[in-house]
Amino acid sequence: MTREVQADTRHHDPIAPPIAPPVVHARFSIGDVVRHRMLDFRGVIFDVDPVFANSEEWYESIPETLRPRKDQPFYHLLAENLESSYVAYVSQQNLEHDDSDEPVEHPAIAGLFDRLADGRYGLKPLHRH
């Protein structure tokens, strides 16, 4: 019994540019005050990942029905709710601008940002690059 093996005719063209991942635009910037769409907390953005960059364990801990897509920006927030202040990692799809003009009372804000003005915090010159 003989088997016919079909050759793989696909090949890598060394002249062709590599295929780039899709471009995703961040809707929010460092210093923006945002709130979570479904959960009762708000915060100030202090870092942005263009796509998901946390652990698989963290991702799997989110109930499957609520898990965000990984192919979108994720934001690091100095967050607060009625009980505490903490750092949160949130997908773009779950954030919206907070238009309350109320300051965020997270204790780390004073170390990173200047005062709240026009709905956002200005990053201190020491932390800009």
Side-chain angles (χ1 to χ4, degrees):
M1 174 179 222
T2 61
R3 286 181 36 191
E4 187 174 313
V5 178
Q6 184 173 12
D8 185 358
T9 57
R10 296 174 294 170
H11 65 280
H12 175 70
D13 182 349
I15 299 173
I19 298 172
V23 175
V24 180
H25 297 282
R27 274 190 243 143
F28 307 104
S29 301
I30 292 173
D32 284 354
V33 179
V34 293
R35 70 176 45 257
H36 197 282
R37 289 182 188 273
M38 296 179 284
L39 304 175
D40 191 23
F41 72 86
R42 59 196 290 267
V44 179
I45 295 171
F46 70 91
D47 198 7
V48 182
D49 293 334
V51 294
F52 178 79
N54 206 335
S55 70
E56 279 304 307
E57 182 180 19
W58 181 90
Y59 188 74
E60 294 294 325
S61 72
I62 300 170
E64 193 171 347
T65 57
L66 300 176
R67 255 182 234 153
R69 295 180 335 275
K70 290 183 177 181
D71 64 343
Q72 62 181 312
F74 276 73
Y75 300 86
H76 300 262
L77 308 178
L78 297 176
E80 68 177 5
N81 60 26
L82 293 176
E83 291 85 39
S84 65
S85 296
Y86 51 95
V87 173
Y89 191 63
V90 186
S91 65
Q92 182 163 275
Q93 76 188 56
N94 286 324
L95 289 177
E96 59 191 12
H97 280 282
D98 180 326
D99 297 324
S100 70
D101 288 328
E102 294 293 320
V104 175
E105 302 295 334
H106 194 287
I109 286 179
L112 291 173
F113 296 101
D114 289 325
R115 62 185 177 78
L116 177 67
D118 298 324
R120 63 187 319 267
Y121 286 86
L123 195 59
K124 288 187 173 186
L126 168 71
H127 301 294
R128 293 182 196 154
H129 53 274

